[in-house]
Amino acid sequence: MDNAVAALEHDRGRLGRSSTAERVADILRDRIAEGLFAPGQRLSEEAIGAALGVSRNTLREAFRLLGHERLLEHRLNRGVFVRVLSAEDVADVYRVRRVIEGAAVRNSPRAAPEAFAAIRETVADALRAAREDRWQDVGTANIRFHQTLVTLNGSPRLDETMRQLLAELRLVFHVMENPRAFHEPFVARNLELLELMEAGRVAEAERALEDYLDDAERLLVRAYTPHP
Amino acid sequence: MDNAVAALEHDRGRLGRSSTAERVADILRDRIAEGLFAPGQRLSEEAIGAALGVSRNTLREAFRLLGHERLLEHRLNRGVFVRVLSAEDVADVYRVRRVIEGAAVRNSPRAAPEAFAAIRETVADALRAAREDRWQDVGTANIRFHQTLVTLNGSPRLDETMRQLLAELRLVFHVMENPRAFHEPFVARNLELLELMEAGRVAEAERALEDYLDDAERLLVRAYTPHP
DNA sequence: ACATAAGTATTGTTCAACAATTCGACAAGA
DNA sequence: TCTTGTCGAATTGTTGAACAATACTTATGT
């Protein structure tokens, strides 16, 4: 029985999690991710506060949270705006991804086997979604692939950093008018990367990752600048 | 004169940066860094609000900011506490440092020459402080060495991540009762690392960094656990 | 057409109040 | 003695209203 009580320790994380401000932040984060609030759009305190039925003070706390996640931009005395990523921002995000995901690949020989199973699951999800023409879901699965890849580092902080980077990228994915053309080619490449790692061919995996990130970045910035 | 005006561009960053909440956060951040607020200590909204002459709402915004920087821990309905880093946290911080600083070293051949000058300056600062027995300042210079090292990556986001990591570490440095013994040996090793990079001997530099981080981490966790 | 000034809307900050939650103390019961 | 229930003080969570400060817009005068 003492043992059963000790087991509860594990569930403690689920306890604290609530507070109006955080729940408001969750809602807004989702809406931004799905593009309902477009980048550059201003979020009025009064309008949103009224819509969600929370006071301005509480809403401002939520804004602060999202501001620190770089999803909102706070301009003094002018309000909060959905973040607009510059081409330079996109380049920087990919710079960081190369560092963090590259480290994950290099660390893959020392990673726990369960982690690979989790990665394989995201590939399966992507393949299934692709078969059923759900290209938005393919994109989501691809994102989860890379999020899970980072867990090979075994570092909660790197996981959190990656989570934030991918949230930022979602701000930009909406400029791709053709989700299929953007997401489809990467499914096979993710699978290839996974199998290289499982085979212990680290150098090749590292190279595959580099190519992947180079291509993805190129596609994004091309769609981002007025086409030549 | 036109030139002088153009020079002002550089100071623009400091312009937007005001807002009572942010200034309050700046103050509290400094106090925490210098150990005036000890880890684990609770920060009362009423007491601190009264002391600084700001309202509870504004203070809470500042708390949120520092919470996101991981300097404060927010426990629902119980208040905010100065963060207490576990040994596991320290290990994770060093895990991330190995990734980010390692990438900086590997990228050093492609980095701008000015960056090396900035690094060399931090070493000079450390040497000067050591000569004058200012061991606290030696520690600060050492921290700046690594902060500057990361700029070799050329990524604002990695700079910011590093800034946050080092702020977290400052929470822990206070457990070292003998700052000289802790900081002194690392000055020479920083210099050695810098010179290896400048000579283009990347592999050796990488190795030196690994050793450095291993030793620093070991010293910290040893001081952190009740001695055997 | 252009600069200036007035007016409006929105954010920044404070204040006071009340609800919700935590925590310690103390009493009731086994 | 130990556990459990209850009370109450203290603190945080949230709200609503108010006013100041700032940005934006419109009107005004030259």
Side-chain angles (χ1 to χ4, degrees):
Chain A
M1 188 282 206
D2 208 17
N3 211 322
V5 172
L8 285 179
E9 288 278 321
H10 187 273
D11 294 330
R12 279 183 53 169
R14 284 196 263 172
L15 256 269
R17 311 185 90 255
S18 61
S19 127
T20 312
E22 284 174 26
R23 267 168 297 163
V24 169
D26 288 342
I27 293 175
L28 295 178
R29 193 184 298 112
D30 288 346
R31 293 299 165 275
I32 293 170
E34 70 193 28
L36 201 141
F37 293 128
Q41 181 176 342
R42 173 167 151 271
L43 302 187
S44 154
E45 293 187 353
E46 188 179 340
I48 294 187
L52 291 177
V54 299
S55 79
R56 272 180 65 210
N57 284 321
T58 301
L59 185 59
R60 285 167 64 85
E61 289 207 358
F63 282 166
R64 289 277 179 191
L65 289 176
L66 296 173
H68 241 271
E69 293 179 26
R70 284 198 266 257
L71 296 183
L72 296 182
E73 198 180 338
H74 207 125
R75 286 183 239 172
L76 194 63
N77 288 318
R78 281 197 268 168
V80 296
F81 299 75
V82 179
R83 182 85 185 289
V84 180
L85 262 65
S86 66
E88 189 37 57
D89 281 316
V90 174
D92 196 47
V93 168
Y94 275 89
R95 224 173 275 139
V96 180
R97 286 187 63 176
R98 268 181 271 270
V99 170
I100 295 183
E101 297 189 52
V105 169
R106 273 196 302 281
N107 195 57
S108 60
R110 282 167 295 284
E114 305 88 70
F116 287 101
I119 298 178
R120 191 165 276 283
E121 221 167 282
T122 69
V123 176
D125 286 347
L127 288 170
R128 194 176 317 121
R131 259 201 312 276
E132 299 168 9
D133 274 353
R134 293 178 284 113
W135 301 107
Q136 203 65 42
D137 294 344
V138 174
T140 303
N142 280 350
I143 288 176
R144 286 225 342 272
F145 173 91
H146 290 273
Q147 177 76 65
T148 314
L149 171 63
V150 168
T151 64
L152 295 182
N153 282 305
S155 163
R157 277 167 184 73
L158 288 178
D159 291 345
E160 169 60 21
T161 302
M162 187 65 178
R163 210 189 56 73
Q164 195 167 300
L165 286 178
L166 292 175
E168 278 191 80
L169 275 188
R170 258 190 286 263
L171 287 174
V172 145
F173 283 163
H174 295 291
V175 307
M176 308 301 298
E177 68 285 341
N178 186 346
R180 172 169 186 171
F182 182 60
H183 294 302
E184 185 174 31
F186 292 120
V187 178
R189 298 176 70 171
N190 283 343
L191 178 57
E192 181 199 348
L193 173 55
L194 170 61
E195 291 180 339
L196 282 173
M197 284 191 298
E198 286 184 325
R201 294 154 70 180
V202 176
E204 290 165 84
E206 227 177 316
R207 178 66 171 273
L209 174 69
E210 288 283 338
D211 291 345
Y212 180 109
L213 292 174
D214 286 348
D215 290 345
E217 178 182 359
R218 198 174 307 125
L219 279 177
L220 265 186
V221 294
R222 184 181 306 164
Y224 220 55
T225 51
H227 68 290
Chain B
M1 186 279 209
D2 207 17
N3 210 321
V5 173
L8 285 179
E9 287 278 320
H10 186 271
D11 294 331
R12 278 183 53 171
R14 285 196 258 174
L15 255 255
R17 316 184 96 247
S18 58
S19 132
T20 312
E22 285 175 25
R23 267 168 298 161
V24 169
D26 288 342
I27 293 174
L28 294 178
R29 194 184 298 111
D30 289 346
R31 294 299 165 274
I32 294 171
E34 70 192 28
L36 202 142
F37 293 130
Q41 181 177 343
R42 172 166 152 271
L43 303 187
S44 153
E45 292 187 354
E46 189 179 338
I48 294 186
L52 291 177
V54 299
S55 79
R56 273 181 63 211
N57 283 321
T58 301
L59 185 59
R60 286 167 64 86
E61 289 205 0
F63 281 167
R64 290 278 182 192
L65 289 176
L66 296 173
H68 243 269
E69 293 178 27
R70 284 198 265 256
L71 295 184
L72 296 183
E73 198 181 338
H74 206 125
R75 288 183 236 172
L76 194 64
N77 288 318
R78 281 197 269 167
V80 296
F81 299 75
V82 179
R83 182 83 185 289
V84 180
L85 262 66
S86 66
E88 190 36 59
D89 281 315
V90 174
D92 196 46
V93 168
Y94 276 89
R95 222 173 276 138
V96 180
R97 287 187 64 176
R98 268 181 271 270
V99 170
I100 294 183
E101 297 189 52
V105 169
R106 272 195 304 280
N107 195 56
S108 59
R110 282 168 296 284
E114 305 89 70
F116 287 101
I119 298 178
R120 191 166 275 282
E121 221 167 284
T122 67
V123 176
D125 285 347
L127 288 170
R128 194 174 319 121
R131 257 200 315 275
E132 300 169 7
D133 275 354
R134 293 179 284 112
W135 302 107
Q136 203 64 43
D137 293 344
V138 174
T140 303
N142 280 350
I143 288 177
R144 287 224 343 269
F145 174 91
H146 290 273
Q147 177 75 65
T148 314
L149 171 63
V150 168
T151 65
L152 296 181
N153 282 304
S155 163
R157 277 167 182 74
L158 287 179
D159 291 345
E160 169 61 22
T161 303
M162 187 65 178
R163 211 188 55 73
Q164 194 167 301
L165 286 178
L166 292 176
E168 277 190 81
L169 275 189
R170 259 190 284 263
L171 287 174
V172 144
F173 282 164
H174 294 291
V175 306
M176 308 301 297
E177 67 287 338
N178 185 346
R180 171 170 187 169
F182 183 59
H183 294 302
E184 185 173 32
F186 292 121
V187 179
R189 298 176 71 171
N190 283 342
L191 177 58
E192 182 198 348
L193 174 55
L194 170 60
E195 291 180 339
L196 283 173
M197 285 191 298
E198 287 185 323
R201 293 153 71 179
V202 176
E204 291 165 82
E206 228 178 315
R207 178 66 170 275
L209 175 68
E210 288 282 339
D211 291 345
Y212 180 109
L213 292 174
D214 286 348
D215 290 344
E217 178 182 0
R218 199 173 308 125
L219 279 178
L220 265 187
V221 295
R222 184 181 307 164
Y224 219 55
T225 50
H227 69 289

